[in-house]
Amino acid sequence: MPKPSHSRAVAMAASAVLLCSLLAACTDDGSSGGGDLSAQKLDWKDCPAPSPAEGDGGSPSPLPHGGTWQCATMKAPLDWNKPKGDTIGLALIRAKSSGAENRRIGSLIFNFGGPGGSGVATLPSFGQDYATLRTRYDLVSFDPRGVGRSAPVECEDDQQLDAYFQQDATPDDARERTDYVDNTKEFNAACEKNSEKVLPHVRTTDAARDMDLMRQVLGDDKLHYFGISYGTELGGVYAHLFPKKVGRAVFDAVVDPTQDAEQSSLGQAKGFQLALDNFAKDCTSKTTDCPVGDTAQDVKDRIAKLLKDLDRKPISGIFPRRLTETAATNGIAQALYSKDFWQYLTEGLVQAYQGDGRILLALSDSLNGRNENGEYSNLAAANVAINCADDKARYNPAFVQRKLPEFRSASPLFGDFLAWSMVSCTDWAVPGAANHPDVSAPGAAPILVVGNTGDPATPYEGAKNMVDSLGPGVGVELTYKGQGHGSYDSKNKCVQAAVNGYLLNGKVPKAGTVCS
């Protein structure tokens, strides 16, 4: 069972579609001969509706203040060690700059995280949020290799995934542990069977090289970049590989580059527990009664009892599926990605206590990339494939059992779930690259690194570790005292002024600036 992804924007975009219903084209999979790919010309056209792998939905909505989204496909080497060999197509999307041509800086490339999130599907959902940046940049995003329309990793089909995500991901006895590990192996074997050609080539280092090719094809001397969540890891790896090509860059919701897979999972356990604590305190501090508990501890105790009850007997969900303990845990985690979703968590818990699991199951579906028609994007498949190609560690059930006390201490609610997620790469077909990414970037231009003190998925401490790892004179830390995964999209004026000031005017904020 993959752990929650590093992707607030993707999570929110998916949830908004699914919850609304409850509360109110093709892929270039390879061709021969790379040639000089930096000289290729992109054929920009009106964007089609997102593919099933990207999450479906309608064509991108019109841009604020006029203009249309345009899409193109960029060819890149399948294997960067053989740059003139077989190629794959990488799906791109852009909104041309809305300002005067003589004030245009270049392209601003976004990665919204995951790994596994479709930038082509996500960027249009947040077009209004980046309207100010569009005055001086073409806004550009892409489906990284293995994702969406870009040679997507394919594993199990929709029916198999329904069963996979309903399984007991917090096994309590030997039989449940065997079932869980067997299901993980079956999922991973399906990935190898259906995507053997691409699995060795979806590492973050491959995506970073794709971005440098993208920079050249877009006609920019420097890469101007906005990385969110896992996008900060991708940006850090890019800065390490191409320090002299870094332009104005922002890392928001920062993945800790010093942690291995175990430390990252433990950090997420602590982060989601902190977010749950903050949710419980917020609910019970309001003037009106909190409908899910009398005190913050009561809220958490009732949630724990709900999960224990669901482990024994699931309740009705979205017909014909039922709400299991695993799905409820997933749904709660999804709602903690943003304070904007706390109201849905409250409503979902109230319903669940009454035997109705629809809202929590819808939240779980959105975290897993499932739409209301029962179709899955390839978010989960790509997430596992990229993480397993990146992370060297391979953990077994005995290791997880030894670590359970530490994970439970970090989070009584999420500890077991995130500890067992560490077996996701069991028997993976491709060896992992490293224990953690190398992001040292001596000589790179300043990179603005934004950390949120209440971030559940990428805990705040990661921002300082990213700054230290980038090296002297590169990382510039900005702190946001807020809630949710990420800072810029919180609409905090202080954060947005600092980010906009750097990206638009080159004004680097003072290191250690704090926004609240």
Side-chain angles (χ1 to χ4, degrees):
M1 179 68 61
K3 62 187 178 181
S5 67
H6 299 305
S7 182
R8 173 181 185 267
V10 175
M12 289 189 66
S15 289
V17 173
L18 282 163
L19 288 168
C20 182
S21 65
L22 283 174
L23 299 175
C26 62
T27 300
D28 179 355
D29 60 0
S31 60
S32 297
D36 183 8
L37 294 176
S38 65
Q40 66 185 291
K41 301 296 182 183
L42 298 179
D43 183 17
W44 293 101
K45 296 179 179 179
D46 289 345
C47 293
S51 70
E54 290 172 312
D56 282 329
S59 298
S61 57
L63 283 155
H65 314 300
T68 58
W69 295 100
Q70 297 176 313
C71 288
T73 300
M74 183 187 81
K75 286 188 176 182
L78 170 65
D79 183 349
W80 272 102
N81 291 321
K82 301 175 182 177
K84 294 188 178 181
D86 289 351
T87 64
I88 56 174
L90 302 182
L92 276 62
I93 189 169
R94 77 172 179 184
K96 296 189 72 173
S97 172
S98 62
E101 180 62 29
N102 62 357
R103 299 195 71 245
R104 178 182 175 277
I105 296 170
S107 296
L108 180 63
I109 296 176
F110 288 79
N111 180 281
F112 295 97
S118 165
V120 172
T122 302
L123 180 58
S125 300
F126 294 87
Q128 182 62 53
D129 293 353
Y130 306 120
T132 300
L133 298 175
R134 187 179 160 228
T135 60
R136 299 200 67 189
Y137 290 98
D138 295 347
L139 306 183
V140 177
S141 194
F142 63 107
D143 290 353
R145 55 177 58 219
V147 177
R149 293 182 193 269
S150 300
V153 174
E154 298 176 357
C155 297
E156 295 185 327
D157 62 28
D158 293 337
Q159 186 176 2
Q160 291 171 317
L161 287 172
D162 271 347
Y164 181 67
F165 288 121
Q166 292 288 92
Q167 70 175 309
D168 189 341
T170 55
D172 302 313
D173 56 37
R175 181 186 59 79
E176 289 183 352
R177 288 192 290 273
T178 298
D179 288 346
Y180 179 73
V181 172
D182 286 348
N183 289 338
T184 300
K185 290 180 178 179
E186 287 177 12
F187 178 90
N188 292 352
C191 299
E192 181 179 10
K193 177 182 177 182
N194 296 321
S195 304
E196 184 177 12
K197 183 178 179 180
V198 73
L199 290 186
H201 307 298
V202 296
R203 294 189 171 99
T204 298
T205 49
D206 296 315
R209 290 184 170 91
D210 292 339
M211 286 207 304
D212 197 60
L213 176 61
M214 198 179 306
R215 171 192 65 78
Q216 298 172 64
V217 171
L218 292 171
D220 290 334
D221 293 331
K222 303 281 187 177
L223 181 86
H224 306 297
Y225 181 73
F226 199 137
I228 301 164
S229 201
Y230 161 79
T232 66
E233 179 178 329
L234 175 57
V237 170
Y238 178 90
H240 172 70
L241 294 175
F242 307 101
K244 298 299 183 182
K245 295 301 181 181
V246 175
R248 298 175 187 176
V250 173
F251 295 174
D252 185 7
V254 186
V255 173
D256 191 332
T258 67
Q259 293 182 333
D260 61 22
E262 177 200 347
Q263 293 166 330
S264 176
S265 293
L266 184 62
Q268 281 202 324
K270 294 175 181 177
F272 278 98
Q273 186 64 45
L274 174 62
L276 182 68
D277 293 344
N278 291 335
F279 161 77
K281 291 174 185 176
D282 179 77
C283 186
T284 55
S285 67
K286 298 182 183 302
T287 54
T288 55
D289 290 340
C290 175
V292 291
D294 297 327
T295 65
Q297 188 59 48
D298 185 41
V299 171
K300 291 182 284 184
D301 288 344
R302 292 187 67 185
I303 293 174
K305 182 180 184 302
L306 171 68
L307 295 178
K308 188 175 182 180
D309 290 345
L310 291 172
D311 189 27
R312 290 194 298 264
K313 185 179 180 181
I315 61 176
S316 63
I318 301 172
F319 185 82
R321 294 175 301 141
R322 299 178 70 77
L323 180 72
T324 62
E325 178 196 17
T326 297
T329 305
N330 254 327
I332 293 166
Q334 171 72 320
L336 294 175
Y337 271 90
S338 170
K339 192 172 183 179
D340 293 341
F341 278 21
W342 287 4
Q343 61 178 316
Y344 302 133
L345 177 54
T346 300
E347 293 180 45
L349 290 170
V350 169
Q351 279 195 0
Y353 295 147
Q354 297 169 352
D356 183 348
R358 286 178 298 166
I359 290 178
L360 289 183
L361 187 52
L363 286 164
S364 178
D365 285 347
S366 65
L367 188 69
N368 294 328
R370 185 188 196 272
N371 68 20
E372 59 187 349
N373 297 320
E375 300 165 328
Y376 286 85
S377 73
N378 89 312
L379 173 63
N383 180 277
V384 173
I386 296 167
N387 280 327
C388 293
D390 278 348
D391 297 336
K392 192 173 185 178
R394 297 291 184 261
Y395 304 111
N396 60 33
F399 177 87
V400 173
Q401 286 183 274
R402 291 196 302 271
K403 291 293 180 177
L404 279 174
E406 185 178 3
F407 275 74
R408 287 168 178 165
S409 176
S411 174
L413 194 124
F414 296 104
D416 280 48
F417 182 81
L418 284 159
W420 282 106
S421 76
M422 290 192 293
V423 304
S424 293
C425 297
T426 296
D427 293 339
W428 191 251
V430 176
N435 289 321
H436 58 81
D438 191 344
V439 300
S440 60
I447 296 172
L448 182 57
V449 178
V450 188
N452 182 344
T453 58
D455 197 313
T458 52
Y460 171 66
E461 294 76 17
K464 183 180 186 305
N465 290 336
M466 176 66 81
V467 168
D468 292 343
S469 298
L470 288 169
V474 180
V476 178
E477 187 174 6
L478 171 70
T479 294
Y480 169 51
K481 292 185 175 180
Q483 303 296 331
H485 186 39
S487 302
Y488 188 87
D489 287 338
S490 73
K491 310 273 194 309
N492 179 271
K493 292 182 179 179
C494 172
V495 171
Q496 292 194 335
V499 171
N500 293 346
Y502 181 45
L503 291 177
L504 295 174
N505 302 311
K507 182 180 178 181
V508 182
K510 183 180 178 181
T513 296
V514 177
C515 294
S516 58

